[in-house]
Amino acid sequence: MFLVDSLDLNENLANQFASKYSEKKDLFRTYMQSYSVSFPEIVDVKWRLDSCVKSDTSDVIREPKYYITLTLRHNQGSLSSLTFCCSLEGLQDLVHSLRHACKSVEKAAAFNL
């Protein structure tokens, strides 16, 4: 048992703790959810690619710019938009971060099963 092995509690005390936790688990979860930080859910993504070929200060730029709009749903059900611009490298970093986040969520979900 985790409580006995990791926290060096005696078995009787660990069993009492587990019993009390089981009794109050739903109340405890409700309480923690009311004080937890929640992030909006991404429900839609729109993007476009613009290419800047020339500017006032330079003759040739040829730099792609990605304009991304995320539609977010908040806990109350309201929607908002987050729009930003990034370079190819920034977009690659974003995709990498999102893939890492998805893998982390999958691991956490598998752990909770």
Side-chain angles (χ1 to χ4, degrees), residues 85-100:
C85 174
C86 62
S87 64
L88 176 61
E89 294 82 16
L91 183 60
Q92 289 171 337
D93 287 344
L94 175 64
V95 169
H96 174 75
S97 296
L98 290 173
R99 284 184 180 154
H100 181 71

Side-chain angles (χ1 to χ4, degrees), residues 99-110:
R99 284 184 180 154
H100 181 71
C102 287
K103 287 180 184 178
S104 297
V105 168
E106 288 171 1
K107 285 181 184 178

Side-chain angles (χ1 to χ4, degrees), residues 1-4 7 9-25 28:
M1 180 184 278
F2 173 78
L3 293 172
V4 174
L7 301 178
L9 294 177
N10 71 44
E11 195 166 337
N12 186 34
L13 186 59
N15 288 335
Q16 287 178 3
F17 178 81
S19 174
K20 286 293 181 187
Y21 176 77
S22 293
E23 288 176 20
K24 305 288 184 180
K25 179 172 56 174
F28 180 68

Side-chain angles (χ1 to χ4, degrees), residues 1-112:
M1 180 184 278
F2 173 78
L3 293 172
V4 174
D5 298 336
S6 298
L7 301 178
D8 199 28
L9 294 177
N10 71 44
E11 195 166 337
N12 186 34
L13 186 59
N15 288 335
Q16 287 178 3
F17 178 81
S19 174
K20 286 293 181 187
Y21 176 77
S22 293
E23 288 176 20
K24 305 288 184 180
K25 179 172 56 174
D26 293 335
L27 180 63
F28 180 68
R29 285 185 176 175
T30 302
Y31 177 78
M32 292 304 292
Q33 286 174 346
S34 68
Y35 288 99
S36 66
V37 175
S38 59
F39 297 100
E41 175 186 5
I42 299 173
V43 294
D44 192 24
V45 177
K46 294 179 182 172
W47 64 276
R48 78 171 198 264
L49 170 63
D50 285 351
S51 183
C52 183
V53 292
K54 188 175 181 180
S55 73
D56 294 340
T57 58
S58 179
D59 286 337
V60 178
I61 296 178
R62 291 190 184 136
E63 183 176 307
K65 290 287 181 190
Y66 295 89
Y67 291 87
I68 300 166
T69 301
L70 303 176
T71 303
L72 308 171
R73 181 182 357 206
H74 301 276
N75 284 347
Q76 306 83 6
S78 62
L79 297 176
S80 66
S81 294
L82 173 67
T83 302
F84 58 95
C85 174
C86 62
S87 64
L88 176 61
E89 294 82 16
L91 183 60
Q92 289 171 337
D93 287 344
L94 175 64
V95 169
H96 174 75
S97 296
L98 290 173
R99 284 184 180 154
H100 181 71
C102 287
K103 287 180 184 178
S104 297
V105 168
E106 288 171 1
K107 285 181 184 178
F111 180 74
N112 287 331

